[in-house]
Amino acid sequence: MKNVIVTGGSGKAGRAVCRDLVAHGYSVLNIDMQPSTDPICPFYKVDLKDFGQVIDAMQWTGGKDHPFRKFRTPDAVVHFAAVPAPDLVPEDVTFRNNVISTYHVFDAAIRSGVKRIVWASSETTLGLPFNPANPPAYAPIDEEHPMRPESAYSLSKDLGEEMARQMQRWNPDTTFIGLRLSNVMESGDYKRFPGWQEDGHLREWNLWGYIDARDCAQAVRKALHVDFVGADHFIIANADTVMECESAALMKQIYPGVPLRKALDGRETLLSIDKARRVLGFTPEYSWRNAQ
């Protein structure tokens, strides 16, 4: 599986995914509306809301001297293009963009013969933003936590997971892997973390979670090769929190009524990555505590 289309390869997580795949020997095509600031692979401008453009992208060859010239059908599609968070544009714009573009990518990939799609779902499907008036059902949160979308953005991701389940059911030889990504951070973002340490409420909204963009890319690469056929989803977060305070103390301070399903070890994540570790072989390699 060496020829991969990445949608949204110009975004924060997408850049890391493209960089990681190229470094591991893949031929990668970034399809996005804007070229990447890290142009490590070919770029093709595509509006994912236009189904014809998406079909065209799935069969793009790039000319006789281009690395993709022998691959009219990619081996896999990594779908990261989206309005990336709530409240960036009006709710209906977020919803229409994310739902329609996800449908187009999934459908065009299947029509083009692609058997594996890895895509960016979101931690927000689980009820974010949390606060003491809207707490999680339990902690650490895992994939069995109730789906509680609280915005058009999180609803679009929830519906994307349902699309993946149903399209896979229609095409039982395909694989859809949704990655419920925590808040994506690049190394330059870590300079903000010291400013959060005096007030646990500042990052209560996602249980103090994050995912280093490089570990996000690792999760994608592992998902491309895991021996699995079907539709499934995984929480992808770093192994620690954004805080110096230990996780059990944070929960006692901010969410004292929320049941803990396990004893917490130090600053371990409250967004459980046990399933991703077990099934995908995902092991976070980066932390803000030793950022480089």
Side-chain angles (χ1 to χ4, degrees):
M1 192 169 295
K2 287 294 185 180
N3 308 291
V4 181
I5 284 178
V6 178
T7 78
S10 299
K12 180 185 278 189
R15 291 193 302 271
V17 169
C18 289
R19 191 181 309 120
D20 180 82
L21 291 177
V22 169
H24 284 84
Y26 295 77
S27 293
V28 180
L29 173 65
N30 168 25
I31 63 176
D32 207 320
M33 288 295 288
Q34 300 294 332
S36 177
T37 57
D38 183 14
I40 197 167
C41 63
F43 164 74
Y44 196 39
K45 183 176 180 179
V46 176
D47 182 353
L48 297 180
K49 299 188 299 298
D50 183 323
F51 186 66
Q53 291 187 39
V54 183
I55 284 285
D56 177 81
M58 295 291 167
Q59 301 177 359
W60 187 77
T61 57
K64 67 182 182 65
D65 296 323
H66 193 277
F68 254 60
R69 64 188 175 87
K70 295 181 180 178
F71 311 109
R72 294 194 62 86
T73 300
D75 296 315
V77 171
V78 176
H79 175 45
F80 269 43
V83 176
D87 302 324
L88 298 179
V89 295
E91 291 271 89
D92 72 299
V93 176
T94 298
F95 184 82
R96 284 187 284 111
N97 179 88
N98 290 2
V99 171
I100 291 171
S101 62
T102 296
Y103 176 81
H104 285 171
V105 170
F106 287 1
D107 190 43
I110 290 170
R111 289 174 185 262
S112 300
V114 175
K115 301 298 185 184
R116 182 159 299 227
I117 299 170
V118 177
W119 67 286
S121 185
S122 170
E123 64 183 0
T124 64
T125 59
L126 298 168
L128 281 63
F130 295 126
N131 58 60
N134 178 44
Y138 56 83
I141 287 178
D142 59 18
E143 287 79 4
E144 303 308 312
H145 189 275
M147 298 286 276
R148 293 178 357 200
E150 300 285 353
S151 66
Y153 171 79
S154 54
L155 182 59
S156 75
K157 295 296 187 177
D158 189 349
L159 295 177
E161 291 194 10
E162 185 61 24
M163 273 194 276
R165 283 189 287 269
Q166 299 305 331
M167 288 187 171
Q168 197 284 327
R169 181 174 62 85
W170 302 342
N171 302 274
D173 59 342
T174 60
T175 298
F176 287 77
I177 296 180
L179 304 178
R180 293 179 179 170
L181 301 177
S182 189
N183 192 191
V184 178
M185 299 289 180
E186 294 176 309
S187 56
D189 294 318
Y190 294 142
K191 63 181 179 292
R192 295 185 287 144
F193 284 34
W196 299 335
Q197 302 308 315
E198 297 302 317
D199 186 356
H201 289 286
L202 292 176
R203 300 288 297 185
E204 67 187 11
W205 58 274
N206 78 335
L207 298 186
W208 310 280
Y210 75 107
I211 178 66
D212 188 288
R214 294 163 291 186
D215 282 322
C216 173
Q218 179 213 149
V220 168
R221 182 165 34 85
K222 297 288 180 64
L224 288 174
H225 290 279
V226 65
D227 185 10
F228 168 76
V229 176
D232 209 346
H233 46 266
F234 300 87
I235 293 172
I236 301 297
N238 269 73
D240 59 347
T241 70
V242 304
M243 303 296 285
E244 293 287 4
C245 182
E246 293 192 350
S247 298
L250 283 169
M251 291 299 298
K252 183 176 181 179
Q253 175 192 355
I254 307 296
Y255 296 112
V258 172
L260 298 180
R261 291 198 162 182
K262 57 176 281 189
L264 298 173
D265 181 16
R267 303 175 185 89
E268 75 167 284
T269 181
L270 291 154
L271 304 172
S272 175
I273 56 174
D274 289 349
K275 182 180 176 182
R277 288 183 188 272
R278 184 178 68 254
V279 178
L280 301 181
F282 170 66
T283 302
E285 298 175 358
Y286 298 92
S287 169
W288 71 279
R289 301 172 206 282
N290 53 12
Q292 296 181 1

